Amino acid sequence: MVSLLAQHALADRVAFGALGERTAGELLRDAAAVAQALPVAVEARAALALISVRRDRYAFAAALLGAWARGYDVLLPAVDVSRADFLSMAQGPGVTAVLHDTLSSAALPIDRILAAARPEQALSAAQLSAAFAHRDGIVYVSGCRARQGAAPRALRRSELLAETLRVAAALQLPERPVCLPTTLPETQYALTLGVLWPLLSGGCFLRDDPRAPEWPASLLDHAPSAGRVLISVPAQI
């Protein structure tokens, strides 16, 4: 099993931006807080976590790792899913938990979980690797509703990580990149280049939307390094 944080020291930066910088150690802490907030997954049938965290890619990464560490399969809604469709997905078969950053009072708001995270609860990299080895969960990745319909693509976690490595090799992506994603992490393309490749290769990614008004004229003012910048754009461009 590929380890997501094997190339990072605990003090290495994994996320930066107007929302603040975070390290690999902080990501393990916050992933542990997410895992603790989720109900225990029942081995007899896979529990499914619906994750819709769009304003903060770091919080999305913490939600993803926490759900995986707890033994959950993960469902990511389409980027253009309507509120009604999202609520319908939340009531779908097997959906045991919903992690979100909306204004809804339902389910598990990610901001509240991360605010309560404590350093002593942090997962170790070894614990995370052991949790991954225990069960190769499934990730259901959607695209746009108009293109892919209601059925998301189902990938084993190992398949998703292996595909990330293949894409990185095919595109000759830099090691330890400073990644400036311009897409939400719900699609496989944006998840691969905007979150998973930086975590796999020892790099870091932009937390928030570079189009937000609080951003300065130059994104590189906030980037840790200007030498290995990777800007990911929508796959259809």
Side-chain angles (χ1 to χ4, degrees):
M1 170 58 67
V2 176
S3 176
L4 274 175
L5 293 171
Q7 302 303 314
H8 287 92
L10 290 179
D12 285 350
R13 188 165 14 204
V14 295
F16 67 97
L19 294 174
E21 296 181 353
R22 293 293 183 271
T23 66
E26 289 171 317
L27 179 56
L28 289 169
R29 174 202 67 193
D30 292 337
V34 172
Q36 289 297 315
L38 294 172
V40 176
V42 179
E43 287 289 342
R45 58 182 180 83
L48 192 61
L50 173 61
I51 300 178
S52 181
V53 181
R54 297 183 173 184
R55 292 196 301 267
D56 182 350
R57 283 180 194 82
Y58 170 81
F60 172 85
L64 188 67
L65 266 64
W68 282 347
R70 192 65 155 176
Y72 274 72
D73 292 337
V74 170
L75 173 61
L76 305 178
V79 293
D80 57 350
V81 67
S82 68
R83 177 177 174 80
D85 287 344
F86 180 81
L87 292 175
S88 177
M89 294 173 71
Q91 300 298 319
V95 176
T96 307
V98 180
L99 289 155
H100 68 98
D101 63 354
T102 70
L103 298 178
S104 171
S105 60
L108 298 170
I110 189 71
D111 294 346
R112 191 181 306 166
I113 295 172
L114 300 193
R118 299 197 303 272
E120 63 270 20
Q121 295 178 315
L123 293 167
S124 68
Q127 286 174 317
L128 188 61
S129 296
F132 278 23
H134 176 63
R135 182 175 173 274
D136 189 12
I138 298 174
V139 184
Y140 298 92
V141 184
S142 302
C144 296
R145 287 184 299 157
R147 291 191 175 195
Q148 296 190 13
R153 183 183 180 194
L155 294 166
R156 289 282 177 188
R157 184 174 55 222
S158 57
E159 293 174 335
L160 181 61
L161 297 181
E163 179 67 15
T164 299
L165 295 177
R166 284 195 295 270
V167 169
L171 297 179
Q172 297 183 325
L173 299 183
E175 294 285 338
R176 299 185 176 274
V178 173
C179 185
L180 306 178
T182 62
T183 51
L184 296 171
E186 278 86 350
T187 66
Q188 183 181 341
Y189 175 87
L191 175 61
T192 295
L193 296 188
V195 177
L196 295 181
W197 175 242
L199 293 182
L200 282 167
S201 67
C204 59
F205 55 83
L206 179 68
R207 294 181 67 175
D208 41 318
D209 191 337
R211 298 163 295 181
E214 63 266 22
W215 270 97
S218 173
L219 290 177
L220 298 185
D221 290 345
H222 282 256
S225 166
R228 300 179 301 276
V229 174
L230 170 65
I231 299 177
S232 61
V233 298
Q236 63 269 26
I237 293 179

Coordinates of all heavy atoms in Angstrom, one line a residue, residues 74-169:
V74 N -15.7 6.0 0.7 CA -15.9 7.4 0.6 C -16.7 7.7 -0.7 O -16.4 7.1 -1.7 CB -14.6 8.2 0.6 CG1 -14.8 9.6 0.2 CG2 -13.9 8.1 1.9
L75 N -17.7 8.6 -0.5 CA -18.5 9.0 -1.7 C -18.3 10.5 -1.8 O -18.6 11.3 -0.9 CB -20.0 8.7 -1.4 CG -21.0 9.2 -2.4 CD1 -20.7 8.7 -3.9 CD2 -22.4 8.9 -2.0
L76 N -17.9 10.9 -3.0 CA -17.7 12.3 -3.3 C -18.8 12.8 -4.3 O -18.9 12.2 -5.4 CB -16.3 12.6 -3.9 CG -15.1 12.1 -3.1 CD1 -13.8 12.3 -3.9 CD2 -15.1 12.7 -1.7
P77 N -19.6 13.8 -4.0 CA -20.7 14.2 -4.9 C -20.1 14.9 -6.1 O -19.0 15.4 -6.1 CB -21.5 15.2 -4.0 CG -20.5 15.7 -3.0 CD -19.5 14.6 -2.7
A78 N -20.9 15.0 -7.1 CA -20.6 15.7 -8.3 C -20.3 17.2 -8.0 O -20.9 17.7 -7.1 CB -21.7 15.5 -9.4
V79 N -19.5 17.8 -8.8 CA -19.2 19.2 -8.5 C -20.4 20.1 -8.7 O -20.4 21.2 -8.1 CB -18.0 19.7 -9.5 CG1 -16.7 19.0 -9.1 CG2 -18.4 19.5 -10.9
D80 N -21.3 19.7 -9.5 CA -22.5 20.6 -9.7 C -23.8 20.0 -9.1 O -24.9 20.2 -9.6 CB -22.7 20.8 -11.2 CG -22.9 19.5 -12.0 OD1 -22.6 18.4 -11.4 OD2 -23.2 19.5 -13.2
V81 N -23.6 19.1 -8.1 CA -24.8 18.5 -7.5 C -25.7 19.5 -6.8 O -25.2 20.5 -6.2 CB -24.3 17.4 -6.4 CG1 -23.7 18.1 -5.2 CG2 -25.5 16.6 -6.0
S82 N -27.0 19.4 -7.0 CA -27.9 20.3 -6.4 C -28.1 19.9 -4.9 O -27.7 18.9 -4.4 CB -29.3 20.2 -7.1 OG -29.9 18.9 -6.8
R83 N -28.7 20.9 -4.1 CA -28.9 20.6 -2.7 C -29.8 19.5 -2.5 O -29.6 18.6 -1.7 CB -29.5 21.9 -2.1 CG -29.8 21.7 -0.6 CD -30.3 23.0 0.0 NE -30.8 22.8 1.4 CZ -30.0 22.7 2.5 NH1 -28.7 22.8 2.3 NH2 -30.6 22.5 3.7
A84 N -30.9 19.4 -3.4 CA -31.9 18.3 -3.3 C -31.2 17.0 -3.5 O -31.4 16.0 -2.8 CB -33.0 18.5 -4.2
D85 N -30.3 16.9 -4.5 CA -29.6 15.7 -4.9 C -28.7 15.3 -3.8 O -28.5 14.1 -3.4 CB -28.9 15.8 -6.2 CG -29.8 15.8 -7.4 OD1 -31.0 15.4 -7.2 OD2 -29.4 16.2 -8.5
F86 N -28.0 16.3 -3.2 CA -27.1 16.0 -2.1 C -27.8 15.4 -0.9 O -27.3 14.4 -0.3 CB -26.3 17.3 -1.7 CG -25.3 17.0 -0.6 CD1 -24.1 16.5 -0.8 CD2 -25.7 17.4 0.7 CE1 -23.2 16.3 0.2 CE2 -24.7 17.1 1.8 CZ -23.5 16.6 1.5
L87 N -28.9 16.0 -0.5 CA -29.7 15.5 0.6 C -30.2 14.1 0.3 O -30.2 13.2 1.2 CB -30.9 16.4 0.9 CG -30.5 17.8 1.4 CD1 -31.7 18.7 1.6 CD2 -29.8 17.6 2.8
S88 N -30.5 13.8 -1.0 CA -30.9 12.4 -1.3 C -29.8 11.5 -1.2 O -29.9 10.3 -0.7 CB -31.4 12.5 -2.8 OG -31.8 11.2 -3.2
M89 N -28.6 11.9 -1.6 CA -27.4 11.0 -1.4 C -27.1 10.8 0.0 O -26.7 9.7 0.4 CB -26.2 11.7 -2.1 CG -26.2 11.9 -3.6 SD -24.9 12.9 -4.2 CE -23.5 11.7 -4.0
A90 N -27.3 11.8 0.9 CA -27.1 11.6 2.3 C -28.0 10.6 2.9 O -27.6 10.0 4.0 CB -27.2 12.9 3.0
Q91 N -29.1 10.3 2.3 CA -30.1 9.3 2.8 C -30.0 8.0 2.1 O -30.7 7.1 2.3 CB -31.5 9.9 2.6 CG -31.8 11.2 3.4 CD -31.7 11.0 4.9 OE1 -32.1 10.0 5.4 NE2 -31.1 12.0 5.5
G92 N -28.9 7.9 1.2 CA -28.8 6.7 0.4 C -28.3 5.5 1.2 O -27.9 5.6 2.4
P93 N -28.5 4.3 0.6 CA -28.1 3.1 1.3 C -26.6 3.0 1.7 O -25.7 3.4 0.9 CB -28.4 2.0 0.3 CG -28.5 2.7 -1.0 CD -28.9 4.1 -0.8
G94 N -26.3 2.7 2.9 CA -24.9 2.5 3.4 C -24.3 3.8 3.8 O -23.2 3.8 4.4
V95 N -24.9 5.0 3.6 CA -24.3 6.2 4.1 C -24.5 6.4 5.6 O -25.6 6.5 6.1 CB -24.9 7.4 3.3 CG1 -24.4 8.7 3.9 CG2 -24.7 7.4 1.8
T96 N -23.4 6.2 6.3 CA -23.4 6.2 7.7 C -23.0 7.6 8.3 O -23.4 8.0 9.4 CB -22.4 5.2 8.3 OG1 -22.7 3.9 7.7 CG2 -22.5 5.1 9.8
A97 N -22.2 8.4 7.5 CA -21.8 9.7 8.0 C -21.7 10.7 6.9 O -21.4 10.3 5.7 CB -20.4 9.6 8.7
V98 N -21.9 11.9 7.2 CA -21.8 13.0 6.2 C -20.9 14.1 6.8 O -21.2 14.6 7.8 CB -23.2 13.6 5.8 CG1 -23.0 14.7 4.8 CG2 -24.2 12.6 5.3
L99 N -19.8 14.3 6.1 CA -18.9 15.4 6.5 C -19.0 16.5 5.5 O -18.9 16.3 4.3 CB -17.4 14.8 6.5 CG -17.1 13.8 7.6 CD1 -16.0 12.9 7.1 CD2 -16.8 14.6 8.9
H100 N -19.1 17.8 6.0 CA -19.4 18.9 5.1 C -18.9 20.2 5.7 O -18.5 20.3 6.8 CB -21.0 19.0 4.9 CG -21.7 19.4 6.1 ND1 -22.0 20.7 6.4 CD2 -22.1 18.7 7.2 CE1 -22.6 20.8 7.6 NE2 -22.7 19.6 8.1
D101 N -18.9 21.2 4.8 CA -18.5 22.6 5.3 C -19.6 23.6 4.8 O -19.3 24.7 4.5 CB -17.1 23.0 4.8 CG -17.1 23.0 3.2 OD1 -18.1 22.7 2.6 OD2 -16.0 23.5 2.7
T102 N -20.8 23.1 4.8 CA -21.9 24.0 4.5 C -22.5 24.6 5.7 O -22.0 24.4 6.8 CB -23.1 23.2 3.8 OG1 -23.7 22.3 4.8 CG2 -22.5 22.3 2.7
L103 N -23.5 25.4 5.6 CA -24.2 26.1 6.7 C -25.2 25.2 7.4 O -25.9 25.6 8.3 CB -24.8 27.4 6.3 CG -23.9 28.4 5.7 CD1 -24.6 29.7 5.3 CD2 -22.8 28.8 6.7
S104 N -25.4 24.0 6.8 CA -26.4 23.0 7.4 C -26.0 22.7 8.8 O -24.9 22.5 9.2 CB -26.5 21.8 6.5 OG -27.3 20.8 7.1
S105 N -27.1 22.5 9.6 CA -26.8 22.0 11.0 C -26.8 20.5 11.1 O -26.5 20.0 12.2 CB -27.9 22.6 11.9 OG -29.2 22.1 11.5
A106 N -27.1 19.8 10.0 CA -27.1 18.4 10.0 C -25.7 17.8 9.9 O -24.8 18.5 9.5 CB -28.0 17.9 8.9
A107 N -25.6 16.5 10.2 CA -24.4 15.7 9.9 C -23.2 16.3 10.7 O -23.4 16.8 11.9 CB -24.1 15.7 8.4
L108 N -22.0 16.2 10.2 CA -20.8 16.5 10.9 C -20.0 17.6 10.3 O -19.3 17.4 9.3 CB -19.9 15.2 11.0 CG -20.5 14.0 11.7 CD1 -19.6 12.8 11.4 CD2 -20.6 14.3 13.2
P109 N -20.2 18.8 10.8 CA -19.4 20.0 10.2 C -18.0 19.9 10.4 O -17.5 19.8 11.5 CB -20.1 21.2 10.9 CG -20.6 20.7 12.1 CD -21.0 19.3 11.9
I110 N -17.2 19.9 9.4 CA -15.7 19.7 9.5 C -15.0 20.7 10.3 O -14.1 20.5 11.0 CB -15.1 19.5 8.0 CG1 -13.7 19.0 8.1 CG2 -15.2 20.8 7.3 CD1 -13.5 17.6 8.6
D111 N -15.5 22.0 10.2 CA -14.8 23.1 10.9 C -14.9 22.8 12.4 O -13.9 23.0 13.1 CB -15.5 24.4 10.6 CG -15.3 24.8 9.1 OD1 -14.4 24.2 8.5 OD2 -16.0 25.7 8.6
R112 N -16.0 22.3 12.9 CA -16.2 22.1 14.3 C -15.3 20.9 14.8 O -14.7 21.0 15.9 CB -17.7 21.8 14.6 CG -18.0 21.8 16.1 CD -19.5 21.5 16.3 NE -20.3 22.4 15.5 CZ -21.6 22.2 15.3 NH1 -22.2 21.1 15.8 NH2 -22.3 23.0 14.6
I113 N -15.2 19.9 13.9 CA -14.3 18.8 14.3 C -12.9 19.2 14.4 O -12.2 18.9 15.4 CB -14.5 17.6 13.2 CG1 -15.9 17.1 13.3 CG2 -13.5 16.5 13.5 CD1 -16.2 16.1 12.2
L114 N -12.4 20.0 13.4 CA -11.0 20.4 13.4 C -10.7 21.3 14.5 O -9.6 21.3 15.1 CB -10.6 21.0 12.1 CG -10.8 20.1 10.8 CD1 -10.1 20.7 9.6 CD2 -10.3 18.7 11.1
A115 N -11.7 22.2 14.9 CA -11.5 23.1 16.0 C -11.2 22.4 17.3 O -10.6 22.9 18.2 CB -12.6 24.1 16.1
A116 N -11.8 21.2 17.4 CA -11.7 20.4 18.7 C -10.5 19.4 18.7 O -10.3 18.7 19.7 CB -13.0 19.7 19.0
A117 N -9.8 19.4 17.6 CA -8.7 18.4 17.5 C -7.6 18.7 18.5 O -7.2 19.9 18.7 CB -8.1 18.4 16.1
R118 N -7.0 17.7 19.1 CA -6.0 17.8 20.1 C -4.7 17.1 19.7 O -4.8 16.0 19.1 CB -6.4 17.3 21.5 CG -7.7 18.0 22.0 CD -7.8 17.7 23.5 NE -7.9 16.3 23.8 CZ -9.1 15.6 23.8 NH1 -10.2 16.2 23.5 NH2 -9.1 14.3 24.1
P119 N -3.6 17.7 19.9 CA -2.3 17.1 19.4 C -2.1 15.7 19.9 O -1.5 14.8 19.2 CB -1.2 18.1 19.9 CG -1.9 19.4 20.1 CD -3.3 19.0 20.5
E120 N -2.5 15.4 21.1 CA -2.2 14.1 21.7 C -3.0 13.0 21.0 O -2.7 11.8 21.2 CB -2.4 14.1 23.2 CG -3.9 14.3 23.6 CD -4.2 15.8 23.8 OE1 -3.4 16.6 23.3 OE2 -5.2 16.1 24.5
Q121 N -4.0 13.4 20.2 CA -4.9 12.4 19.5 C -4.3 12.0 18.1 O -4.9 11.2 17.4 CB -6.3 12.9 19.4 CG -7.0 13.0 20.7 CD -8.4 13.6 20.6 OE1 -8.6 14.6 19.8 NE2 -9.4 13.0 21.2
A122 N -3.2 12.7 17.7 CA -2.8 12.5 16.4 C -2.5 11.1 16.0 O -2.0 10.3 16.8 CB -1.5 13.3 16.1
L123 N -2.9 10.7 14.8 CA -2.5 9.4 14.2 C -1.0 9.5 13.9 O -0.4 10.5 13.5 CB -3.2 9.2 12.9 CG -4.7 8.9 13.0 CD1 -5.3 9.0 11.6 CD2 -5.0 7.6 13.6
S124 N -0.3 8.4 14.1 CA 1.1 8.3 13.6 C 1.0 7.8 12.2 O 0.0 7.3 11.7 CB 1.9 7.3 14.5 OG 1.4 6.0 14.2
A125 N 2.1 8.1 11.4 CA 2.2 7.6 10.1 C 2.0 6.1 10.0 O 1.4 5.5 9.1 CB 3.5 8.0 9.4
A126 N 2.6 5.4 11.0 CA 2.5 3.9 11.1 C 1.0 3.5 11.3 O 0.6 2.5 10.7 CB 3.4 3.4 12.2
Q127 N 0.3 4.2 12.2 CA -1.1 3.9 12.4 C -1.9 4.1 11.2 O -2.8 3.3 10.8 CB -1.7 4.7 13.5 CG -1.2 4.4 14.9 CD -1.7 5.3 16.0 OE1 -1.6 6.5 15.8 NE2 -2.1 4.8 17.1
L128 N -1.6 5.2 10.4 CA -2.3 5.4 9.2 C -2.1 4.3 8.2 O -3.0 3.8 7.5 CB -1.9 6.8 8.6 CG -2.7 7.3 7.4 CD1 -4.2 7.4 7.8 CD2 -2.2 8.6 7.0
S129 N -0.8 3.9 8.1 CA -0.4 2.8 7.1 C -1.1 1.5 7.5 O -1.6 0.8 6.7 CB 1.1 2.7 7.1 OG 1.7 3.8 6.6
A130 N -1.2 1.3 8.8 CA -1.8 0.0 9.3 C -3.3 0.0 9.0 O -3.9 -1.0 8.6 CB -1.6 -0.1 10.8
A131 N -3.9 1.2 9.2 CA -5.3 1.3 8.9 C -5.6 1.1 7.4 O -6.6 0.4 7.0 CB -5.9 2.7 9.3
F132 N -4.7 1.6 6.6 CA -4.9 1.4 5.1 C -4.7 0.0 4.7 O -5.4 -0.6 3.8 CB -3.8 2.3 4.4 CG -4.2 3.7 4.2 CD1 -5.1 4.3 5.1 CD2 -3.7 4.5 3.2 CE1 -5.5 5.6 4.9 CE2 -4.0 5.8 3.1 CZ -4.9 6.4 3.9
A133 N -3.7 -0.7 5.4 CA -3.4 -2.1 5.0 C -4.6 -3.0 5.5 O -4.8 -4.1 4.9 CB -2.1 -2.6 5.7
H134 N -5.3 -2.6 6.5 CA -6.4 -3.5 7.1 C -7.5 -3.7 6.1 O -8.0 -4.8 5.9 CB -6.9 -2.8 8.3 CG -8.1 -3.5 8.9 ND1 -8.0 -4.8 9.4 CD2 -9.4 -3.2 9.1 CE1 -9.1 -5.2 9.9 NE2 -10.0 -4.3 9.7
R135 N -7.8 -2.6 5.3 CA -8.9 -2.7 4.4 C -8.7 -1.7 3.2 O -8.5 -0.6 3.5 CB -10.3 -2.4 5.1 CG -11.5 -2.6 4.2 CD -12.8 -2.4 4.9 NE -13.9 -2.4 4.0 CZ -14.3 -1.3 3.4 NH1 -13.7 -0.1 3.7 NH2 -15.3 -1.3 2.6
D136 N -8.8 -2.2 2.0 CA -8.6 -1.4 0.8 C -10.0 -0.8 0.4 O -10.7 -1.4 -0.3 CB -8.0 -2.2 -0.3 CG -7.6 -1.3 -1.5 OD1 -7.6 -0.1 -1.3 OD2 -7.3 -1.9 -2.5
G137 N -10.3 0.3 1.0 CA -11.7 0.9 0.8 C -11.9 1.3 -0.6 O -11.0 1.4 -1.4
I138 N -13.2 1.7 -0.9 CA -13.6 2.1 -2.2 C -13.9 3.6 -2.1 O -14.4 4.2 -1.1 CB -14.9 1.4 -2.6 CG1 -14.6 -0.1 -2.7 CG2 -15.4 1.9 -3.9 CD1 -15.8 -0.9 -3.0
V139 N -13.5 4.3 -3.2 CA -13.8 5.7 -3.4 C -14.7 5.9 -4.6 O -14.4 5.4 -5.7 CB -12.5 6.5 -3.6 CG1 -12.8 8.0 -3.7 CG2 -11.5 6.3 -2.5
Y140 N -15.8 6.5 -4.3 CA -16.8 6.7 -5.4 C -16.6 8.2 -5.9 O -16.9 9.1 -5.1 CB -18.2 6.5 -5.0 CG -18.5 5.1 -4.5 CD1 -18.3 4.7 -3.2 CD2 -18.9 4.1 -5.5 CE1 -18.6 3.4 -2.8 CE2 -19.1 2.8 -5.1 CZ -19.0 2.5 -3.8 OH -19.2 1.1 -3.4
V141 N -16.0 8.4 -7.1 CA -15.7 9.7 -7.6 C -16.6 10.1 -8.7 O -16.8 9.4 -9.7 CB -14.2 9.7 -8.1 CG1 -13.8 11.1 -8.5 CG2 -13.3 9.2 -7.0
S142 N -17.3 11.2 -8.5 CA -18.2 11.8 -9.5 C -17.5 12.8 -10.4 O -16.4 13.3 -10.1 CB -19.4 12.4 -8.8 OG -20.1 11.6 -7.9
G143 N -18.1 13.1 -11.5 CA -17.7 14.2 -12.3 C -18.8 15.2 -12.3 O -19.4 15.5 -11.3
C144 N -19.2 15.7 -13.5 CA -20.3 16.6 -13.6 C -21.6 15.7 -13.9 O -21.5 14.7 -14.7 CB -20.1 17.6 -14.8 SG -18.7 18.7 -14.5
R145 N -22.7 16.1 -13.3 CA -23.9 15.3 -13.5 C -24.3 15.2 -15.0 O -24.7 14.2 -15.4 CB -25.1 16.0 -12.7 CG -25.0 15.8 -11.2 CD -26.2 16.4 -10.6 NE -26.3 17.8 -10.9 CZ -27.4 18.6 -10.8 NH1 -28.5 17.9 -10.5 NH2 -27.4 19.8 -11.1
A146 N -24.1 16.3 -15.7 CA -24.5 16.3 -17.1 C -23.7 15.3 -18.0 O -24.1 14.8 -19.0 CB -24.4 17.7 -17.7
R147 N -22.4 15.1 -17.5 CA -21.5 14.2 -18.3 C -21.6 12.7 -17.8 O -21.6 11.8 -18.6 CB -20.1 14.7 -18.1 CG -19.8 16.0 -18.8 CD -18.3 16.3 -18.9 NE -18.1 17.5 -19.7 CZ -16.9 17.8 -20.1 NH1 -15.9 17.0 -19.9 NH2 -16.7 18.9 -20.8
Q148 N -21.7 12.5 -16.5 CA -21.6 11.2 -16.0 C -22.8 10.6 -15.4 O -22.9 9.5 -15.0 CB -20.4 11.1 -15.0 CG -19.1 11.4 -15.6 CD -18.0 11.1 -14.6 OE1 -18.2 10.5 -13.5 NE2 -16.8 11.6 -14.8
G149 N -23.9 11.4 -15.4 CA -25.1 10.9 -14.8 C -25.0 10.8 -13.3 O -24.1 11.4 -12.6
A150 N -25.9 10.0 -12.7 CA -25.9 9.9 -11.2 C -24.9 8.9 -10.6 O -24.7 8.9 -9.4 CB -27.3 9.6 -10.8
A151 N -24.4 8.0 -11.5 CA -23.6 6.9 -11.0 C -22.1 7.3 -11.0 O -21.5 7.5 -12.0 CB -23.8 5.7 -11.8
P152 N -21.5 7.5 -9.8 CA -20.0 7.8 -9.8 C -19.2 6.6 -10.1 O -19.6 5.5 -10.0 CB -19.8 8.3 -8.3 CG -20.9 7.6 -7.5 CD -22.0 7.4 -8.5
R153 N -17.9 6.9 -10.4 CA -17.0 5.8 -10.7 C -16.5 5.2 -9.4 O -16.1 6.0 -8.5 CB -15.8 6.4 -11.6 CG -14.8 5.3 -12.0 CD -13.7 5.9 -12.8 NE -12.7 4.9 -13.2 CZ -11.5 5.2 -13.6 NH1 -11.1 6.4 -13.7 NH2 -10.7 4.2 -14.0
A154 N -16.4 3.9 -9.3 CA -15.9 3.3 -8.1 C -14.5 2.8 -8.3 O -14.2 2.1 -9.3 CB -16.8 2.1 -7.8
L155 N -13.6 3.2 -7.4 CA -12.2 2.9 -7.5 C -11.8 2.4 -6.1 O -12.2 2.9 -5.1 CB -11.3 4.1 -7.8 CG -11.5 4.7 -9.2 CD1 -10.8 6.0 -9.3 CD2 -10.9 3.8 -10.3
R156 N -11.0 1.3 -6.1 CA -10.3 0.9 -4.8 C -9.3 2.0 -4.4 O -8.8 2.7 -5.3 CB -9.6 -0.4 -5.0 CG -10.5 -1.6 -5.1 CD -11.0 -2.0 -3.8 NE -11.9 -3.1 -3.8 CZ -12.7 -3.5 -2.8 NH1 -12.5 -2.9 -1.6 NH2 -13.5 -4.5 -3.0
R157 N -9.2 2.2 -3.1 CA -8.2 3.2 -2.7 C -6.8 3.0 -3.3 O -6.2 3.9 -3.8 CB -8.1 3.2 -1.2 CG -7.2 4.3 -0.6 CD -7.4 4.4 0.9 NE -7.0 3.0 1.5 CZ -7.7 2.5 2.5 NH1 -8.8 3.1 3.0 NH2 -7.4 1.3 2.9
S158 N -6.4 1.7 -3.3 CA -5.1 1.4 -3.9 C -5.1 1.7 -5.4 O -4.0 2.2 -5.9 CB -4.8 -0.1 -3.7 OG -5.8 -0.9 -4.3
E159 N -6.2 1.5 -6.1 CA -6.3 1.9 -7.5 C -6.1 3.4 -7.7 O -5.5 3.9 -8.7 CB -7.6 1.4 -8.1 CG -7.7 -0.1 -8.2 CD -9.1 -0.6 -8.7 OE1 -10.1 0.2 -8.5 OE2 -9.2 -1.7 -9.2
L160 N -6.8 4.1 -6.8 CA -6.8 5.6 -7.0 C -5.3 6.1 -6.7 O -4.9 7.0 -7.5 CB -7.7 6.2 -5.9 CG -7.8 7.7 -5.9 CD1 -8.3 8.2 -7.3 CD2 -8.8 8.2 -4.8
L161 N -4.7 5.6 -5.7 CA -3.3 6.0 -5.5 C -2.3 5.6 -6.6 O -1.4 6.3 -7.0 CB -2.8 5.5 -4.1 CG -3.6 6.0 -2.9 CD1 -3.0 5.4 -1.6 CD2 -3.7 7.5 -2.8
A162 N -2.5 4.4 -7.1 CA -1.7 3.9 -8.2 C -1.9 4.7 -9.4 O -1.0 5.0 -10.2 CB -2.0 2.4 -8.5
E163 N -3.2 5.1 -9.7 CA -3.5 6.0 -10.8 C -2.9 7.3 -10.7 O -2.4 7.9 -11.6 CB -5.0 6.1 -11.0 CG -5.5 7.0 -12.1 CD -5.2 6.4 -13.5 OE1 -4.8 5.2 -13.6 OE2 -5.2 7.2 -14.4
T164 N -2.8 7.8 -9.4 CA -2.2 9.1 -9.2 C -0.7 9.0 -9.6 O -0.1 9.9 -10.2 CB -2.3 9.5 -7.7 OG1 -3.7 9.6 -7.4 CG2 -1.6 10.8 -7.4
L165 N 0.0 7.9 -9.2 CA 1.4 7.8 -9.5 C 1.6 7.7 -11.1 O 2.5 8.2 -11.6 CB 2.0 6.5 -8.8 CG 2.0 6.6 -7.3 CD1 2.5 5.3 -6.7 CD2 2.9 7.8 -6.8
R166 N 0.7 6.9 -11.7 CA 0.8 6.8 -13.2 C 0.6 8.1 -13.9 O 1.3 8.5 -14.8 CB -0.3 5.8 -13.7 CG 0.1 4.4 -13.4 CD -0.8 3.4 -14.2 NE -2.2 3.5 -13.9 CZ -2.8 2.7 -12.9 NH1 -2.0 1.8 -12.3 NH2 -4.0 2.8 -12.6
V167 N -0.4 8.9 -13.4 CA -0.6 10.3 -14.0 C 0.6 11.1 -13.8 O 1.1 11.8 -14.7 CB -1.9 10.9 -13.4 CG1 -2.0 12.4 -13.8 CG2 -3.1 10.2 -13.9
A168 N 1.1 11.1 -12.6 CA 2.3 11.9 -12.3 C 3.5 11.5 -13.2 O 4.2 12.4 -13.7 CB 2.7 11.8 -10.8
A169 N 3.7 10.2 -13.4 CA 4.8 9.8 -14.2 C 4.6 10.2 -15.7 O 5.5 10.6 -16.4 CB 5.0 8.3 -14.1

